[in-house]
Amino acid sequence: MCVCVPTGEKMSTGSFRSGGRDKCRLHMVTWNVATAEPPEDVTALLQLDVQPPTDLYVIGLQEVNATPVRFISDLLVEDSWSHVFMDTLAPRGFVKVTSVRMQGLLLLVFAKQIHLPYIRNIQTTYTRTGIFGYWGNKGGVSVRFSFYGHMVCFLNCHLAAHMNYALQRVDEFEYILEAQDFDITDTPHVLDHKVVFWFGDLNFRIADHGLHFLRSSINSGRLNLLWSKDQLITMKKKEPFLQEFEEGPLNFKPTYKFDRNSDTYDTSGKKRKPAWTDRILWRIKPKTPPSEDDDERASTSTDDGQDEYPILVTQDKYTSEMSYGVSDHKPVIATFNLELRKYFDTPLVHITPVGVWSADQDALLNYTIQEDFMSSTWDWIGLYKVGFKSASDYETFVWVRENELPETNEVIQISVDKDGIPLLSGEYVLGYYSTNMQSIIGLSANFQILESKRAVMEGLVPDINGLDK
């Protein structure tokens, strides 16, 4: 869960009212997977045992296998990359909040279960670029949501390739920013959000230097010799809107292009020059230009000093994970501390199971709307096994009141048919899903479902009393 920080801790900019603020850890990955299948083990990529523990994972992939047959099958069931991340993170208590797919572009967002009721108004969109926008071979996919009331947006891009297209890459990014819109009054566009993370295979190259100089600089660890010719760094000096995006120092080897299953740069006939094609940047709104000698990669939203709920973004790590070789790109990892004062810390809906739950009888639950929101008769309450993967990973569900919607603070009781309740014992949780917000906005405490007599009768467990003889 978020770690509370004393209010007396000093900050360089911004101000916090009394009442405390919280730090949440964000772990981001970008990886061009070059149509490969995922590795069996992604634990190094996710750094699962890091301290303090992660609260949010945002994973952006490019060139996920998107042949027509494969793409259609992935629309019907989760793709193999989503599966490996869900299977790895769910046992650790992370739930897939949402995902968005456009051909080879895939963006996944996971959150600790405790944060789910405070991630609201989730929306996704995508923009095709590439060859006249055809087949979505290039472009951007984005996810936006409110995190404890702070509007954040994640934009995963795959921009035009090749050395000579730096200007086209900037034009494509600008087009994506202009084309994407959301059905949210306060944040209709990407740059309206308080925090924007821009990442992906941005395809910027290292200009001018020859292959020998590039490789010798990399092998000797003198990466700083290459920064001045990095096209993204160069373009940022020319384009004011790019200057609003911050990036940590490129203190890791260029992540493109490698021979597969090796740490050797391209030895094919093309001998592509190494480049930092894979990047993670962020932007705070509004933004004060960072000083050139500011080593601390931190920035704060102050909304012209009037914001009572500022957010501080500090990058802890910006690196590549060289151990993965399934692609000709290496994945890039960035971790951030999001230090914020919450707009709210009460779920919109309070849910509790009533009495003992087992599959031997219908069960009861109570729910109460604690704050008015745009509820719907299409809202539902799901029964989830602790360690569930996504909002759709329920054991059973019940619709909320079918006709009139409940009043605030009115206690509503709903019956759950015993046929939908698991026969075996286990730890479960109830979640209220809002169709309008596209998110779980209320969770019960974890509770135990008891093993049913039907489980013995159906031979699912041994009968210690000999009743199955």
Side-chain angles (χ1 to χ4, degrees):
M1 60 185 292
C2 290
V3 180
C4 189
V5 179
T7 56
E9 182 175 313
K10 293 181 70 175
M11 288 179 55
S12 57
T13 53
S15 60
F16 290 87
R17 296 194 313 178
S18 60
R21 62 187 187 267
D22 294 270
K23 279 185 178 178
C24 290
R25 185 179 178 87
L26 166 65
H27 183 109
M28 295 186 64
V29 175
T30 181
W31 192 4
N32 182 323
V33 300
T35 73
E37 287 300 294
E40 292 183 6
D41 187 351
V42 292
T43 53
L45 196 63
L46 301 175
Q47 300 176 349
L48 294 172
D49 297 317
V50 72
Q51 293 296 328
T54 299
D55 296 281
L56 295 172
Y57 281 98
V58 176
I59 301 161
L61 305 179
Q62 307 85 38
E63 291 194 31
V64 175
N65 192 336
T67 59
V69 172
R70 183 59 177 271
F71 181 65
I72 291 170
S73 70
D74 288 346
L75 292 177
L76 302 176
V77 294
E78 295 279 5
D79 64 274
S80 57
W81 284 93
S82 295
H83 270 300
V84 73
F85 288 118
M86 292 166 74
D87 291 345
T88 303
L89 289 170
R92 301 284 187 133
F94 288 91
V95 179
K96 190 185 82 170
V97 174
T98 191
S99 64
V100 56
R101 173 87 184 266
M102 183 189 75
Q103 295 309 117
L105 277 167
L106 175 64
L107 177 53
L108 301 158
V109 178
F110 294 86
K112 270 287 191 184
Q113 180 181 309
I114 193 172
H115 297 308
L116 294 183
Y118 311 104
I119 298 175
R120 303 175 185 172
N121 294 319
I122 300 168
Q123 289 193 13
T124 64
T125 191
Y126 61 86
T127 303
R128 302 178 193 276
T129 56
I131 306 169
F132 306 108
Y134 178 71
W135 198 234
N137 57 324
K138 295 288 193 296
V141 293
S142 61
V143 169
R144 63 87 55 207
F145 53 82
S146 161
F147 184 63
Y148 291 95
H150 296 270
M151 307 304 179
V152 297
C153 185
F154 297 90
L155 174 57
N156 171 25
C157 291
H158 191 185
L159 304 180
H162 305 304
M163 178 70 73
N164 298 328
Y165 288 101
L167 275 173
Q168 183 176 334
R169 289 188 267 279
V170 174
D171 289 343
E172 285 185 350
F173 179 48
E174 199 162 17
Y175 171 72
I176 290 168
L177 291 177
E178 292 172 355
Q180 295 200 348
D181 52 36
F182 303 96
D183 186 22
I184 301 288
T185 304
D186 294 338
T187 54
H189 303 292
V190 171
L191 297 185
D192 294 326
H193 291 77
K194 186 174 283 189
V195 185
V196 176
F197 291 91
W198 171 39
F199 54 105
D201 180 359
L202 307 185
N203 251 323
F204 289 100
R205 308 305 170 99
I206 301 171
D208 298 338
H209 293 310
L211 181 60
H212 177 75
F213 182 82
L214 281 170
R215 291 190 172 180
S216 64
S217 298
I218 293 167
N219 292 335
S220 64
R222 295 180 296 172
L223 299 176
N224 58 301
L225 298 180
L226 309 178
W227 294 345
S228 64
K229 298 299 182 180
D230 174 81
Q231 289 178 337
L232 180 53
I233 292 174
T234 302
M235 296 305 294
K236 282 186 71 175
K237 295 176 181 177
K238 301 176 182 177
E239 299 285 348
F241 86 101
L242 289 179
Q243 293 167 17
E244 296 178 355
F245 286 87
E246 301 183 55
E247 184 180 22
L250 298 171
N251 288 327
F252 52 92
K253 291 182 179 180
T255 51
Y256 173 84
K257 174 182 177 153
F258 287 86
D259 292 342
R260 295 200 190 218
N261 299 307
S262 80
D263 292 338
T264 304
Y265 285 105
D266 187 17
T267 59
S268 71
K270 293 183 178 179
K271 287 189 168 54
R272 298 284 191 197
K273 292 182 181 179
W276 285 290
T277 56
D278 311 286
R279 313 285 277 266
I280 299 174
L281 299 90
W282 74 99
R283 173 190 183 269
I284 301 293
K285 175 186 180 289
K287 174 131 182 355
T288 54
S291 60
E292 293 183 359
D293 58 353
D294 185 9
D295 292 328
E296 183 183 15
R297 306 301 302 175
S299 48
T300 307
S301 163
T302 59
D303 286 350
D304 299 325
Q306 302 303 313
D307 187 4
E308 296 179 350
Y309 300 90
I311 183 168
L312 173 72
V313 176
T314 306
Q315 187 177 67
D316 289 336
K317 181 179 293 185
Y318 191 33
T319 188
S320 62
E321 180 49 68
M322 298 293 288
S323 64
Y324 292 97
V326 298
S327 168
D328 56 359
H329 291 247
K330 300 296 183 181
V332 169
I333 296 168
T335 61
F336 298 88
N337 273 323
L338 307 182
E339 191 170 339
L340 53 89
R341 184 172 183 273
K342 300 172 182 176
Y343 281 79
F344 48 76
D345 56 9
T346 303
L348 293 173
V349 180
H350 179 70
I351 316 171
T352 54
V354 178
V356 175
W357 279 50
S358 85
D360 294 325
Q361 60 190 17
D362 292 348
L364 294 173
L365 65 86
N366 289 342
Y367 79 91
T368 305
I369 304 296
Q370 300 195 120
E371 184 180 329
D372 190 31
F373 68 96
M374 192 181 296
S375 56
S376 165
T377 54
W378 291 102
D379 292 353
W380 43 269
I381 296 173
L383 173 67
Y384 298 94
K385 188 173 179 63
V386 171
F388 66 102
K389 298 177 181 178
S390 67
S392 60
D393 188 24
Y394 48 74
E395 302 291 328
T396 188
F397 75 94
V398 291
W399 297 108
V400 300
R401 185 183 281 179
E402 293 185 6
N403 298 316
E404 57 178 301
L405 294 169
E407 299 291 331
T408 304
N409 296 324
E410 178 185 359
V411 178
I412 307 297
Q413 189 163 94
I414 297 179
S415 175
V416 180
D417 191 296
K418 63 183 180 182
D419 289 338
I421 297 174
L423 298 176
L424 299 177
S425 63
E427 194 173 15
Y428 290 82
V429 63
L430 294 166
Y432 184 108
Y433 185 84
S434 163
T435 55
N436 287 322
M437 294 192 182
Q438 297 288 297
S439 58
I440 293 174
I441 59 172
L443 283 170
S444 72
N446 294 355
F447 67 99
Q448 197 75 15
I449 288 181
L450 302 183
E451 186 177 287
S452 65
K453 296 175 184 176
R454 287 169 55 198
V456 176
M457 295 171 59
E458 296 183 17
L460 298 177
V461 291
D463 182 8
I464 60 175
N465 295 318
L467 294 178
D468 58 347
K469 292 180 180 177

